[in-house]
Amino acid sequence: MRWIGVYIALVAGVALTLAGCGFADVRAPVPDFMRGKAPDPPALGTPPDVKLLLREKLDSVFVAASQPTQVRVSEPRPNLRGPGWTACVKAEVVSVTGKPLGTQTYRIEISDGAIADRQKVEAEDTCATESYEPV
């Protein structure tokens, strides 16, 4: 009788161990045949009208006190870091005291038809090689 209890516990332990041997995550360090299928990337759809977005919400990129002039934008590109699109925006701006600061360039992220984020461009960014059109 005692052996039956040990046998049941052993079978239950093996069953629980084997239950964890399903398909692993896409990035798991297991052989390819054991990995789950990678999800398909979402469809991007049509590129947004960045010029229209900037005309409507220029203050989401440049502070109104900087009085941006000669605003130019690059062609929208699919965002490599997530869903949505990115574009580069340049403008001539002035400081709070009215002193010209020169050209400022920002990379904007567009998600769900709105400007979701902006980042000041670094020297090694690809915005330096983009072609720009006036807004």
Side-chain angles (χ1 to χ4, degrees), residues 32-110:
D32 289 339
F33 73 90
M34 294 179 76
R35 289 187 190 149
K37 183 181 177 252
D40 294 330
L44 284 175
T46 59
D49 186 356
V50 183
K51 291 180 183 181
L52 178 64
L53 287 172
L54 286 173
R55 275 187 237 128
E56 292 175 350
K57 296 291 273 178
L58 187 61
D59 61 338
S60 64
V61 180
F62 297 101
V63 179
S66 67
Q67 302 170 6
T69 58
Q70 298 179 9
V71 180
R72 303 170 303 276
V73 66
S74 70
E75 179 182 327
R77 307 228 185 260
N79 191 352
L80 300 176
R81 297 181 199 134
W85 298 83
T86 63
C88 300
V89 181
K90 283 185 176 186
E92 301 295 322
V93 296
V94 296
S95 70
V96 177
T97 61
K99 185 178 178 183
L101 292 175
T103 303
Q104 298 290 315
T105 307
Y106 290 94
R107 176 176 299 281
I108 59 171
E109 292 185 16
I110 302 163

